Amino acid sequence: MGRGQSAYLELDAGYSTSWERRLLATLDARPDLVPVLRNDDATVYELRDPPPGPVEAAAPGPPGPTVTWTPWSVLGALAAGVLVVLLGVREGVRVRAAPGASPAAVRVLFWFSVPLLGVVLAAVVQRFWGLA
């Protein structure tokens, strides 16, 4: 237990000012633990009777977050890419049109983009659903 961690828990997590003292008293009372280091900043404990044999080497996984792709994720990513291109073309057609005119292509491109937006939203909902 470190002093910095204790101060953080008291100031930000709402722990009482006596929690560190009570925790250390509880750990001191345990027969299977023995303090190795004790000073104003930290207290370190170890097992009184450590398990026999060598310590196993750590087996860390790959670095960084693991990104999983589902069929909906791939479909949603493709739909998002096509949607961006389609809406970009629509905006280009709208900007090039004469002031006050609304070409039919603007409306057609809008209605083609609506189902793509639905697929993107379904993929996002599916991703959040998987988090639960």
Side-chain angles (χ1 to χ4, degrees):
M1 172 59 55
R3 183 65 201 138
Q5 181 182 15
S6 177
Y8 164 76
L9 291 173
E10 289 173 15
L11 296 173
D12 290 344
Y15 280 50
S16 72
T17 56
S18 65
W19 84 272
E20 182 182 18
R21 183 177 29 81
R22 290 183 290 130
L23 174 67
L24 292 176
T26 302
L27 290 174
D28 285 338
R30 289 187 57 154
D32 57 336
L33 295 178
V34 58
V36 177
L37 170 74
R38 185 182 304 256
N39 61 30
D40 292 340
D41 295 321
T43 303
V44 179
Y45 293 89
E46 72 177 2
L47 290 173
R48 186 175 303 277
D49 298 317
V55 177
E56 293 181 20
T66 303
V67 178
T68 57
W69 291 90
T70 66
W72 274 103
S73 303
V74 174
L75 187 62
L78 292 173
V82 172
L83 181 63
V84 167
V85 170
L86 191 65
L87 291 176
V89 169
R90 178 187 178 271
E91 188 64 14
V93 169
R94 189 190 66 78
V95 168
R96 290 182 181 261
S102 179
V106 171
R107 287 187 297 277
V108 169
L109 290 172
F110 171 76
W111 288 111
F112 274 116
S113 66
V114 170
L116 291 172
L117 181 63
V119 171
V120 170
L121 292 176
V124 169
V125 167
Q126 189 269 339
R127 295 300 288 185
F128 278 113
W129 191 299
L131 291 176

